């Protein structure tokens, strides 16, 4: 029986965060108003941007979820890119006064960026 290492736990946490982020983008396609402030109308532009966001977020999330189990040369750049994307998502969330998006993406950004540093060191 093998014991779970700290690296396994960190990989699992990053994979889960990446998949949750990708899933959130799919939720945005189904309900584009999720990221909008209360009472803001959902326009054709909101639908377009939700689909465009998901077209990028789903492959990035899937690639990150796989890459965290690879060697460091693959894992740290993916974690860096994913972390920076989450920084942007967090900033957008706070700007829209969507605290769930702001804090959730912010937490994922910290996780991914810390993990990128940890793996690359």
């Amino acid at each position: 029986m093998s014991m779970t290492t700290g690296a396994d736990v960190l990989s699992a946490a990053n994979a889960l965060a990446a998949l949750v982020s990708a899933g959130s983008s799919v939720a945005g396609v189904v309900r584009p108003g999720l990221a909008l402030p209360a009472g803001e109308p959902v326009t054709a532009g909101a639908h377009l941007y939700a689909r465009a966001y998901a077209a990028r977020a789903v492959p990035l999330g899937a690639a990150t979820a796989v890459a965290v189990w690879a060697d460091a040369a693959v894992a740290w750049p993916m974690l860096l890119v994913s972390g920076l994307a989450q920084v942007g998502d967090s900033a957008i969330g706070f700007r829209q006064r969507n605290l769930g998006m702001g804090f959730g993406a912010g937490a994922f950004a910290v996780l991914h960026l810390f993990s990128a540093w940890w793996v690359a060191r």
Side-chain angles (χ1 to χ4, degrees):
M1 178 193 277
S2 66
M3 296 186 64
T4 302
T5 67
D8 291 336
V9 171
L10 200 55
S11 292
N14 278 284
L16 180 61
L19 294 174
V20 166
S21 181
S24 294
S25 74
V26 173
V29 170
V30 175
R31 292 189 51 211
L34 287 175
L36 298 175
E40 180 100 11
V42 178
T43 64
H47 285 276
L48 170 70
Y49 280 101
R51 290 189 305 267
Y53 175 75
R56 285 149 183 79
V58 170
L60 178 61
T64 302
V66 171
V68 297
W69 301 103
D71 64 40
V74 173
W76 82 260
M78 280 303 300
L79 287 165
L80 178 63
V81 169
S82 291
L84 293 173
Q86 292 291 354
V87 167
D89 288 348
S90 179
I92 292 167
F94 284 123
R95 182 130 202 286
Q96 292 294 320
R97 294 190 171 93
N98 182 329
L99 297 182
M101 182 179 177
F103 285 115
F108 290 168
V110 169
L111 173 64
H112 289 330
L113 294 172
F114 169 78
S115 298
W117 170 80
W118 183 264
V119 170
R121 64 184 175 87

